[in-house]
Amino acid sequence: MSKIPYSKQALILSDQIDLLVQRGMIISDRAEAEHYLRFIGYYRLSGYWFPFQFRDETVRHDDFQRGTKFDIVLDRYVFDRRLRLLVMDAAERIEVAARSSISNSMSVRAGPHWYLDAANFLSNFNHHDFLRRVRQDCGTRPVKLSKQSEAVRHYRSKYSRPEDPPSWMVFEQLPFGTVSRVFSSLSAADKKQIAAHFGLPWKRLQSWLHACSHLRNLCAHHNRVWNREFGITPSVAKSEKHHVTAPKRFYNHAVAIQTLLQRISRDTHWAERLRALLDDHPNIPIDVMGFPPDWTTKALWQQ
């Protein structure tokens, strides 16, 4: 297929609204629609009205199906934004728990500076690059005081060696993705001991941390998640396969998150908050997210 020069021109807001109306969208309040197009953007909102278009490669390809309202599209956008915030709250708890469990377990077994020794990792782990990233994140090499935490600055001012701070200081600085990769690069024996804190097999915890890290990054960058088909997904336990029937959809992530939170926080209210969010947006088709119709009756969501 030969390429062609890009020729589309930017449209002013009133013309954007005219185009949507021309394609069949019902807009009852032009001023309100213009407000949201100004501060959310035509392109971002298009991801939420895409399912309402024919998309059949005919002349009506970009047209909207009968009855498509701007308010419905906006409701899905608001729902997705609130869902991302709910996920971010859960991911924070999971990330902190993973950092702490990995650092504590490894520090007890191999000393406070265990991460400096390549022998504590699998042979295919790029330990040199890992240390480079750690030192960059902690602001130690090259020295960047603005990136150093108060604890790291105190350590470096008081102790001569090792030059790098102990694990518990370092892991507070590491991104979730790095924490997940560290766990996957430990020996099976170390992973088994750490996973026991979560009451999970290590292979499942490894999968869930990787998937949660990816989901968290999508949310942090404001990507649409509610109806996404995920490329990185949590492994499904045999005990959950009867209701996790669409593993690439959000419900699989929700099951992993809820299971982890139950182990991390005994008084977690994440399940109740998820139910409340769905109740606030009754027009969201939860089947597209992988939720079974009777999901609230499952034992996982009753505890």
Side-chain angles (χ1 to χ4, degrees):
M1 181 178 178
S2 59
K3 296 181 179 180
I4 60 174
Y6 187 83
S7 59
K8 293 182 180 180
Q9 298 297 312
L11 300 177
I12 62 174
L13 295 177
S14 60
D15 287 347
Q16 291 178 17
I17 293 175
D18 288 343
L19 180 60
L20 292 174
V21 171
Q22 176 188 323
R23 290 176 173 174
M25 182 179 285
I26 300 171
I27 299 179
S28 57
D29 189 330
R30 288 182 64 99
E32 180 183 54
E34 184 171 319
H35 173 84
Y36 287 113
L37 286 170
R38 182 186 306 279
F39 292 108
I40 298 174
Y42 185 100
Y43 181 74
R44 175 172 289 276
L45 282 174
S46 69
Y48 297 90
W49 66 56
F50 182 91
F52 295 100
Q53 293 175 300
F54 286 102
R55 295 292 164 181
D56 57 4
E57 303 303 326
T58 68
V59 292
R60 63 176 187 174
H61 178 74
D62 292 318
D63 290 349
F64 294 101
Q65 298 166 21
R66 186 178 181 85
T68 300
K69 298 180 180 180
F70 185 83
D71 291 344
I72 295 176
V73 173
L74 186 63
D75 178 67
R76 294 196 178 183
Y77 170 80
V78 172
F79 169 77
D80 194 41
R81 181 180 61 80
R82 293 180 64 189
L83 181 64
R84 290 196 302 270
L85 292 174
L86 189 63
V87 168
M88 289 292 286
D89 179 69
E92 177 189 349
R93 288 194 169 198
I94 294 169
E95 178 181 355
V96 169
R99 286 177 178 178
S100 178
S101 295
I102 295 169
S103 180
N104 289 347
S105 181
M106 293 302 297
S107 294
V108 169
R109 186 188 71 75
H113 292 83
W114 62 272
Y115 69 93
L116 295 174
D117 187 353
N120 288 317
F121 298 88
L122 298 177
S123 59
N124 62 352
F125 182 64
N126 190 334
H127 186 253
H128 176 77
D129 186 64
F130 166 66
L131 288 184
R132 180 187 64 79
R133 290 175 178 273
V134 164
R135 288 159 179 162
Q136 190 174 58
D137 289 337
C138 292
T140 55
R141 297 187 207 172
V143 174
K144 194 168 184 179
L145 294 178
S146 62
K147 295 187 72 173
Q148 290 183 17
S149 67
E150 185 178 345
V152 169
R153 288 197 297 272
H154 173 73
Y155 175 87
R156 288 170 61 83
S157 68
K158 185 173 182 179
Y159 301 101
S160 59
R161 64 180 186 273
E163 185 177 349
D164 295 289
S167 172
W168 47 85
M169 294 183 191
V170 167
F171 269 65
E172 285 298 307
Q173 303 291 109
L174 299 185
F176 195 179
T178 301
V179 174
S180 172
R181 285 193 294 274
V182 166
F183 180 77
S184 66
S185 301
L186 299 175
S187 70
D190 285 329
K191 286 189 281 195
K192 183 177 181 180
Q193 183 177 21
I194 295 165
H197 301 158
F198 297 86
L200 295 171
W202 69 260
K203 288 184 179 180
R204 189 169 306 148
L205 180 61
Q206 180 170 298
S207 169
W208 286 9
L209 290 180
H210 180 45
C212 188
S213 168
H214 176 66
L215 176 61
R216 184 260 176 211
N217 286 343
L218 289 174
C219 292
H221 290 91
H222 319 299
N223 286 296
R224 178 170 41 84
V225 298
W226 82 274
N227 64 342
R228 177 183 290 271
E229 185 174 272
F230 295 90
I232 298 175
T233 61
S235 63
V236 181
K238 289 182 180 179
S239 60
E240 308 293 353
K241 286 187 176 180
H242 68 288
H243 64 114
V244 181
T245 58
K248 292 187 177 182
R249 294 296 179 173
F250 177 80
Y251 182 68
N252 186 20
H253 279 285
V255 168
I257 288 172
Q258 173 65 3
T259 303
L260 286 169
L261 289 179
Q262 286 181 339
R263 312 294 166 82
I264 293 167
S265 176
R266 294 177 181 177
D267 63 344
T268 178
H269 296 287
W270 196 78
E272 290 91 331
R273 293 167 64 196
L274 177 61
R275 284 198 295 268
L277 174 59
L278 290 169
D279 288 343
D280 283 349
H281 297 268
N283 294 320
I284 297 296
I286 64 171
D287 59 313
V288 177
M289 303 172 69
F291 282 76
D294 60 345
W295 72 278
T296 58
T297 67
K298 306 304 179 184
L300 176 67
W301 304 105
Q302 293 292 313
Q303 299 174 2

